Amino acid sequence: MEENFKLTDQVELKESLTTKWQAPSNIALVKYWGKHGVQLPANPSISFTLDACRTITSVKASKGTHGFSISYDGVEKPEFAPKIKAYFERISSYCPWITSYHFEIDTHNTFPHSSGIASSASSMAALSACVMDFESELTGTSLDYHKMSFLSRLGSGSACRSLKGAAVLWGEHVDTDGSSNLYGIDKSDLLHPVFQDFQDTILLVDKGEKVVSSTVGHDLMNDHAYASARFEQAQSNLTILKKALKDGDLATFIKITESEALTLHAMMMTSHPYFILMKPNTLSIIEEIWAFRKEMQIPVCFTLDAGANVHMLYPSEHKTAVDGLINNKLTKYCQNSHYICDQIGTGAKKC
Ligand code: DP6
């Protein structure tokens, strides 16, 4: 199946190519945690694509010796090089033409670098969009979004969910035709109107670097005592969540989304070595959200990544009420009172 993504036709190389793309981050509802082989997920996941948190990447390709330079806002960033080098090595058998080019890459994130928000999904998605834009120019064919997602996955698993559609499902799922471990598929057709303008307010509890890198984190699922039960649970949670997304069933959405977040953290707490990635303020925010939901009967819930920050998810019609909650009760738990207002978006775009 991977073979289908190998470009075998000879392409006529151009002297130089330039492009610029932006790609958003995404927030998983059913979490990807555990992988095998070359970036293959241990279980299927689904995410909402975000809008405001984006990476904007411009690339100039010049025919010549293969290599690259990487800068952020024009300033060279050698610390980003190893990940990009590994990415180019992984994709070169699928896009052999890249070995005839030198790439000058410049990136910019719309969210602060020190926000504790991982940029690997948006940055790998934006770079893959640039690569596929070049490939489409060289081959004279239209953009292949599946291959774009496939290449992104080789850079960072969750990146393959940041290309196309408001909701993206990645990984073989027993109840989803066309689902694949190799790339994400657009499932925005699933979304009931109540989810189409969903808000994600990211409460920045800890803006530091990740305590556990994703590579180490995924690795913890190898030999984990609960691994097989967890992978099966993700399959069934995804089936239940898909129905909730379609029916506009907010109660079930909340139940599955919050349980998935807590399960992700439970997996980290019960692995060897074990980690607690929540902070006291993470728990305080969760308790405030639960109290507010009960008192106001407003369907707001939380999810977490592999860190202490809290993503608060809710329909836009409740934005004013939730803003009140944030300002009155939640900013005191955020580092420097910082939070980011985001919402569901549609994917990568050419600039
Ligand atoms: C907790 O995509 O960052 O955010 O494939 O090693 O780059 P790599 O991992 P990464 O893992 C994300 C894990 C997660 C859950 C999710 O986004 O599904």
Side-chain angles (χ1 to χ4, degrees):
M1 191 43 192
E2 275 102 335
E3 299 304 306
N4 295 347
F5 289 109
K6 288 198 169 150
L7 180 70
T8 46
D9 302 346
Q10 279 290 338
V11 295
E12 200 177 317
L13 300 175
K14 299 192 173 176
E15 271 315 304
S16 75
L17 302 153
T18 56
T19 193
K20 186 174 184 178
W21 277 75
Q22 46 172 296
S25 185
N26 68 75
I27 180 67
L29 306 167
V30 172
K31 307 288 182 183
Y32 148 55
W33 199 240
K35 62 178 172 182
H36 58 92
V38 185
Q39 294 288 96
L40 299 169
N43 64 262
S45 57
I46 193 167
S47 51
F48 281 157
T49 304
L50 296 183
D51 187 43
C53 293
R54 278 176 274 138
T55 299
I56 300 157
T57 298
S58 49
V59 184
K60 178 168 189 238
S62 312
K63 206 166 122 191
T65 315
H66 180 55
F68 68 91
S69 65
I70 171 74
S71 60
Y72 184 90
D73 279 345
V75 180
E76 283 246 15
K77 288 280 172 189
E79 64 270 35
F80 293 172
K83 204 156 181 182
I84 293 176
K85 184 167 181 281
Y87 169 76
F88 277 131
E89 280 164 12
R90 277 189 187 157
I91 72 163
S92 66
S93 63
Y94 301 101
C95 309
W97 58 269
I98 65 167
T99 57
S100 308
Y101 282 95
H102 182 273
F103 298 92
E104 260 172 72
I105 308 165
D106 186 56
T107 67
H108 171 81
N109 291 339
T110 55
F111 47 96
H113 191 56
S114 57
S115 60
I117 297 183
S119 61
S120 63
S122 53
S123 60
M124 285 301 166
L127 182 56
S128 302
C130 292
V131 169
M132 285 311 293
D133 194 23
F134 289 154
E135 185 160 301
S136 129
E137 193 175 333
L138 291 173
T139 55
T141 53
S142 56
L143 275 174
D144 179 344
Y145 277 92
H146 278 163
K147 183 166 176 182
M148 213 187 258
S149 173
F150 173 90
L151 298 182
S152 302
R153 188 198 99 238
L154 297 175
S156 174
S158 56
C160 80
R161 299 187 312 236
S162 274
L163 278 317
K164 191 166 182 276
V168 179
L169 187 152
W170 167 44
E172 281 164 22
H173 178 226
V174 279
D175 291 320
T176 306
D177 290 344
S179 59
S180 169
N181 282 343
L182 302 180
Y183 50 83
I185 56 171
D186 178 1
K187 292 306 288 175
S188 31
D189 61 323
L190 271 184
L191 299 184
H192 180 279
V194 76
F195 292 110
Q196 285 170 10
D197 59 3
F198 238 56
Q199 306 294 301
D200 178 5
T201 302
I202 310 162
L203 300 155
L204 303 176
V205 172
D206 185 359
K207 302 198 211 169
E209 288 280 306
K210 278 190 179 178
V211 178
V212 183
S213 76
S214 55
T215 311
V216 171
H218 289 288
D219 232 32
L220 296 174
M221 290 308 283
N222 293 325
D223 305 322
H224 193 294
Y226 306 142
S228 64
R230 161 60 196 154
F231 301 148
E232 275 172 40
Q233 178 198 47
Q235 291 279 347
S236 58
N237 276 350
L238 188 48
T239 301
I240 300 167
L241 187 72
K242 275 178 61 189
K243 184 169 181 330
L245 291 172
K246 204 166 178 56
D247 296 346
D249 175 355
L250 286 162
T252 304
F253 172 83
I254 289 171
K255 195 171 75 178
I256 298 294
T257 300
E258 291 190 344
S259 169
E260 275 287 321
L262 295 177
T263 301
L264 170 69
H265 282 252
M267 289 300 111
M268 286 182 255
M269 287 197 257
T270 50
S271 57
H272 289 284
Y274 40 81
F275 295 94
I276 300 180
L277 299 184
M278 290 188 211
K279 298 277 184 212
N281 284 352
T282 311
L283 275 181
S284 299
I285 291 172
I286 291 173
E287 282 175 349
E288 294 284 5
I289 291 173
W290 283 349
F292 176 83
R293 186 162 82 219
K294 196 166 172 199
E295 192 196 343
M296 307 293 286
Q297 295 292 302
I298 287 179
V300 51
C301 69
F302 72 87
T303 187
L304 307 165
D305 269 340
N309 296 334
V310 181
H311 289 247
M312 209 170 26
L313 304 174
Y314 51 97
S316 68
E317 63 172 302
H318 299 296
K319 195 163 173 19
T320 312
V322 175
D323 278 347
L325 168 71
I326 295 167
N327 292 321
N328 298 332
K329 299 261 174 79
L330 302 184
T331 49
K332 66 170 177 279
Y333 300 118
C334 299
Q335 232 182 320
N336 308 117
S337 305
H338 282 173
Y339 61 92
I340 295 174
C341 295
D342 210 337
Q343 60 190 346
I344 204 160
T346 54
K349 290 183 203 81
K350 191 164 179 164
C351 306

